[in-house]
Amino acid sequence: MKPFFKNITSVTAAAVMALCSFNAGFYAGADDEIPDKCVVHYDLSGEGIIIPEDKDGNPQSIEDIETDPNSSVYVTNVIPEREGYIFSCWTADNIAAYPAGTVMRVDTENVDLHPVWIDKEDENFHKVTFRVEKNGEIDKEAEKYVPAQNALKGRYILIPSWKFKQEGYDQKGWTDGVHEFDVETYILVGDEDIILRPNLKKIYKLRYSAGDYEGIVGASFQEYELAESFPTSLQAADRFSRIGYEIKNWHCITDGKDYEPNAVFIMPGSDVLIEPNWSPLRYTVVFSADKNNVKVPGYTGTAITAPECPITKEGYTFGGWQYGDETVQAGEEYTIKGAAPGLGIRFTAIWNEAGSDVTTTTVTDPVTTTTTTVTETTTTTVTETTTTSAPSETTTTTSAPVSDIAYGDSNCDEKVELADAILLMQSIANPDKYGVEGSDAKHLTRQGANNGDVDKSVVGITSGDALMIQEFLLKKINTLVPAEK
């Protein structure tokens, strides 16, 4: 593109500068000192200015406006008069135009508006050209969409909204080569011709990364294209998901600053990388023995002490607390690792029958007993849960091998997705509702348990199965089908 022509008047340049400052003020930083109120003052001190009566002969007035910072106000509809002149509009700097009745944006400072007048005897028109060039040549076909305008000094023109993009660029209004004009704003015409060109801004990449952390669930990277100086709203706090954590705010690696979710961000002249500042969640860890619960609060990554069991069972000794594939004894420390989104952490008491090495996991009455049995005809280990009327009546059942296993499809909907991992975690955290014998209509079925048992390092459903499904969805592992031995 050829160099911009510099034939805009000094008055016009001043007005444009005011317009640019006005627009930028809307995005004032959090550290800027912002007043409680701003005042829009109409300066009517010029010679010969009067406020006429309305059409019914009633007196009129033009009052100052008090408003909040970074807000919008309507410019007065009352038109002042001055002998020998025609009222045009209002301006703060003799250039940025605000016609009567239009909306004006107020940033964080007071605004003094004064009227702009057109001399009734002035007959000198000035040309405002919207120049569009391609490969250094004037694109006459394109300029048909933005025809030149002729106006007297003091008149205002509307910046058109037409865009003429080039590859790798986006257009943000128009420019004289020094100052920028947003579309649908007004500028005054001075006593010289004006040439404006598309204000082209180079497009850069705005990247979001969840960071190199354990426990990321779902998407971990997003990328967008945005032109330099264009505003955008940052992503909400639920853009990424991480077990045991929530997004507190966003950290921009590029400029080193922190931003609130959904905050306005102005794209700089470079690619940008943004990562979340993760904040640990607060959990109430439940230690459950039958219907007796002990609740211990703590945050992800911190250690809590497992409590003493609140009950005793005749004929049994307390064997500790179990959550998934992890067991802790009373008085031992447990470091909270977090749970899948929407789930809590619930340990259940395990019991050793007197004189036996068999451990039973007790949830609620009636007692649910978990045993491990190996059949004589297969090398497959099957875990079976049987509900009995009392601990002394515990039975052991052997399941036949399942021939058609859809590994990972724990909810049996013929596809592997995050819902499968969540169902497994729900069945662990709340077996009464979501376990194989659960009360919920969408509880884990026996077929679903076989499908979901993908972690063959441990027998039965554990948090490791849910983790493997998540790793499969994140493409960290290629298959859920166990390797043949």
Side-chain angles (χ1 to χ4, degrees):
M1 180 177 290
K2 294 180 179 179
F4 292 105
F5 295 116
K6 296 182 179 179
N7 60 348
I8 194 166
T9 66
S10 59
V11 177
T12 304
V16 178
M17 180 65 74
L19 182 60
C20 296
S21 300
F22 157 75
N23 288 330
F26 176 59
Y27 304 108
D31 296 333
D32 296 343
E33 185 175 349
I34 299 177
D36 294 333
K37 292 290 181 180
C38 293
V39 175
V40 178
H41 170 65
Y42 293 96
D43 182 5
L44 300 172
S45 60
E47 182 179 355
I49 298 175
I50 62 171
I51 305 299
E53 297 177 339
D54 65 17
K55 62 181 181 179
D56 297 322
N58 299 314
Q60 300 183 100
S61 63
I62 298 177
E63 305 294 340
D64 291 351
I65 303 172
E66 186 178 73
T67 187
D68 295 327
N70 293 322
S71 62
S72 298
V73 299
Y74 282 101
V75 176
T76 180
N77 276 315
V78 178
I79 305 299
E81 293 182 354
R82 180 185 178 191
E83 187 175 356
Y85 293 88
I86 301 171
F87 174 79
S88 174
C89 58
W90 298 91
T91 184
D93 302 50
N94 295 324
I95 234 344
Y98 303 102
T102 59
V103 175
M104 181 182 73
R105 184 76 187 180
V106 179
D107 55 18
T108 59
E109 297 180 354
N110 295 334
V111 180
D112 288 329
L113 294 178
H114 58 268
V116 177
W117 304 99
I118 301 170
D119 190 335
K120 291 183 177 180
E121 297 182 357
D122 186 4
E123 296 180 351
N124 296 316
F125 284 84
H126 307 284
K127 188 175 184 179
V128 181
T129 303
F130 297 94
R131 176 67 67 227
V132 183
E133 295 176 338
K134 186 176 181 181
N135 299 324
E137 300 293 332
I138 296 175
D139 189 340
K140 295 182 179 180
E141 287 299 315
E143 289 191 3
K144 291 180 180 180
Y145 295 97
V146 283
Q149 301 181 37
N150 294 314
L152 294 170
K153 178 181 178 180
R155 290 290 187 185
Y156 55 83
I157 61 168
L158 177 68
I159 299 298
S161 57
W162 280 95
K163 281 190 173 184
F164 303 93
K165 294 173 59 175
Q166 291 186 14
E167 184 176 358
Y169 294 83
D170 198 356
Q171 180 182 341
K172 186 181 181 184
W174 297 76
T175 180
D176 68 334
V178 179
H179 309 99
E180 300 178 350
F181 299 82
D182 284 341
V183 300
E184 303 298 325
T185 58
Y186 300 92
I187 62 170
L188 291 175
V189 175
D191 55 8
E192 295 181 8
D193 293 344
I194 301 173
I195 295 181
L196 301 175
R197 290 176 169 80
N199 185 23
L200 298 177
K201 299 292 185 178
K202 188 174 181 180
I203 294 174
Y204 294 95
K205 294 185 183 298
L206 175 61
R207 299 184 175 100
Y208 292 86
S209 171
D212 186 16
Y213 299 99
E214 294 291 335
I216 302 297
V217 180
S220 61
F221 186 82
Q222 296 284 336
E223 183 177 284
Y224 304 90
E225 290 188 340
L226 192 68
E228 175 188 3
S229 81
F230 274 61
T232 186
S233 292
L234 295 180
Q235 296 294 316
D238 59 357
R239 166 51 60 189
F240 298 123
S241 179
R242 180 185 174 195
I243 293 176
Y245 293 84
E246 63 182 353
I247 295 177
K248 179 182 178 182
N249 51 31
W250 296 103
H251 179 69
C252 180
I253 305 297
T254 307
D255 65 14
K257 297 180 180 180
D258 292 333
Y259 296 87
E260 293 301 312
N262 302 308
V264 173
F265 179 77
I266 306 300
M267 191 69 180
S270 66
D271 292 337
V272 173
L273 177 61
I274 293 178
E275 293 185 351
N277 285 323
W278 291 105
S279 178
L281 290 173
R282 184 181 186 276
Y283 287 91
T284 299
V285 181
V286 178
F287 294 84
S288 178
D290 290 348
K291 295 182 179 179
N292 299 275
N293 296 327
V294 179
K295 299 180 179 180
V296 182
Y299 289 87
T300 305
T302 62
I304 60 173
T305 301
E308 298 291 336
C309 184
I311 65 171
T312 59
K313 292 179 69 67
E314 185 177 354
Y316 291 83
T317 59
F318 175 65
W321 300 102
Q322 186 177 60
Y323 170 63
D325 56 358
E326 187 164 3
T327 301
V328 295
Q329 300 298 320
E332 289 184 349
E333 285 192 343
Y334 165 72
T335 300
I336 299 174
K337 301 178 180 65
L343 300 181
I345 302 173
R346 181 174 182 265
F347 283 84
T348 54
I350 55 177
W351 302 92
N352 295 323
E353 190 172 4
S356 172
D357 292 332
V358 177
T359 299
T360 61
T361 302
T362 303
V363 183
T364 58
D365 287 329
V367 179
T368 300
T369 304
T370 302
T371 60
T372 301
T373 304
V374 180
T375 68
E376 297 179 357
T377 58
T378 178
T379 58
T380 302
T381 302
V382 181
T383 302
E384 182 67 23
T385 302
T386 304
T387 302
T388 61
S389 58
S392 60
E393 300 177 5
T394 299
T395 61
T396 300
T397 305
T398 302
S399 291
V402 178
S403 58
D404 296 325
I405 296 179
Y407 286 104
D409 184 17
S410 64
N411 61 9
C412 301
D413 65 352
E414 300 183 356
K415 56 186 176 182
V416 179
E417 55 190 356
L418 184 59
D420 296 300
I422 292 176
L423 177 58
L424 294 182
M425 295 301 294
Q426 288 176 320
S427 71
I428 295 170
N430 192 352
D432 289 341
K433 185 174 182 180
Y434 295 105
V436 173
E437 308 251 348
S439 60
D440 191 89
K442 296 183 179 180
H443 70 85
L444 185 68
T445 64
R446 171 53 54 197
Q447 179 65 51
N450 282 280
N451 292 349
D453 187 12
V454 294
D455 181 9
K456 293 306 180 182
S457 65
V458 181
V459 176
I461 298 300
T462 69
S463 59
D465 298 302
L467 179 59
M468 281 191 67
I469 293 174
Q470 294 172 28
E471 290 178 339
F472 174 74
L473 294 173
L474 293 172
K475 303 187 185 304
K476 292 184 177 181
I477 57 177
N478 297 324
T479 182
L480 293 173
V481 178
E484 295 184 4
K485 297 182 179 180

